[in-house]
Amino acid sequence: MERIKQALEKARQQSVGAAPAAPAHPQTAPAAAAAPAAVAQQADALASGVIEINYTQTEVVRLDRATLERNRIVAFEKTNPDNWAFDVLRTQVLQKMDEKGWRTLAITSPTVGSGKTVTAINLAISIAHHTQRTAMLVDFDLRRPRVGAYLGVRKKPSLSEVLTGKAQLADALVNPDLPRLVVLPTSSPVPHAAEVLSSVVVRSMVADLRERYADRIVIFDLPPVMAGDDVMALLPSVDAVLLVVGNGDSTRKEIEESMRHLPPGQLLGVVLNKAEAEVRRGYGYGYY
Ligand SMILES: Nc1ncnc2c1ncn2[C@@H]1O[C@H](COP(=O)(O)OP(=O)(O)OP(=O)(O)O)[C@@H](O)[C@H]1O
Ligand SMILES: [Mg+2]
């Protein structure tokens, strides 16, 4: 616990001001029940081996600035005064990942509504703004996918269709009018999330996404650690994990418990989100 306390204290000290008033957090919706046909297709897809990826067809979509603002995607416009917090986070993350030779990063939190998706999207955008890096953002929250909704991208087919054997991965990729960013959204919940995330297909897909370009960082938005075994299922396939703790969203016990599940060698850091929300100045991120 001492380690967490020190981390949070350090994050708090480094926090760049406070967040705007946090809206009520939506509750985690239960995963949609799987239709038998979909399950069979999914099983076929997962048994069939490697997913082929062809980037030449990536669809470009223009993002609606008002939607981004509404969903706290502040890193897109370089003029947004809140985007610097993510540039600082990006620099810290890239330095540590480069040092270790890491290129794939899972983002999780102890409990729901801590700001994982907002952090994952803003971090990916901030990395893509960096002239020498490219970023890919994959929505691996297969129970409650929100990346597409937060970006205002309604993509079909998406990763949901790829993982249920109905589409090719190349057709699910989106380039959201930022040259060095590719997004792989998930449009609807995918049944048997943990089994899918630990499957050979997902493992080889993650390895392929990692190996294809040396300058690329691949970010995976995940569900909370305490919501099931999805995080545990994916961790063996990724290099590192970033824990987002929403200020006041998780108890000390939940933070402690979730950290027990994350191998210390893979833990890149802890982001304290919504820091000092009570003071209401600035955006509110801290990192250690
Ligand atoms: N720094 C912040 N300040 C205030 N509100 C925030 C901040 N970061 C995120 N939020 C808000 O908190 C809510 C939850 O954010 P988000 O969906 O990113 O969390 P999550 O951890 O991905 O949730 P889930 O566990 O449901 O996937 C959203 O309404 C978001 O706008
Ligand atoms: Mg989320």
Side-chain angles (χ1 to χ4, degrees), residues 42-166:
Q42 181 185 356
D44 286 350
L46 296 178
S48 68
V50 179
I51 291 174
E52 282 296 318
I53 310 170
N54 171 4
Y55 292 98
T56 55
Q57 307 158 18
T58 306
E59 183 186 331
V60 179
V61 292
R62 190 173 152 71
L63 301 183
D64 174 53
R65 295 344 188 224
T67 303
L68 296 180
E69 199 171 323
R70 196 170 53 249
N71 293 318
R72 299 179 195 274
I73 310 306
V74 296
F76 195 82
E77 299 285 4
K78 290 300 282 179
T79 50
N80 188 313
D82 289 325
N83 101 67
W84 70 273
F86 288 102
D87 285 354
V88 171
L89 180 64
R90 168 194 69 189
T91 301
Q92 290 171 314
V93 164
L94 288 180
Q95 277 173 356
K96 204 154 177 184
M97 290 189 74
D98 287 348
E99 201 182 293
K100 306 253 186 189
W102 288 341
R103 298 215 291 271
T104 49
L105 176 66
I107 298 195
T108 187
S109 63
T111 50
V112 294
S114 308
K116 295 178 291 298
T117 304
V118 166
T119 303
I121 297 173
N122 279 304
L123 182 60
I125 290 172
S126 181
I127 291 171
H129 276 308
H130 192 295
T131 50
Q132 272 121 46
R133 310 304 285 244
T134 61
M136 178 175 243
L137 174 61
V138 179
D139 194 348
F140 262 163
D141 189 339
L142 303 181
R143 295 173 195 266
R144 188 182 157 72
R146 302 296 293 155
V147 169
Y150 282 11
L151 287 170
V153 171
R154 280 183 192 78
K155 180 80 176 80
K156 279 271 177 128
S158 73
L159 187 57
S160 321
E161 286 69 41
V162 175
L163 293 174
T164 48
K166 295 177 197 147

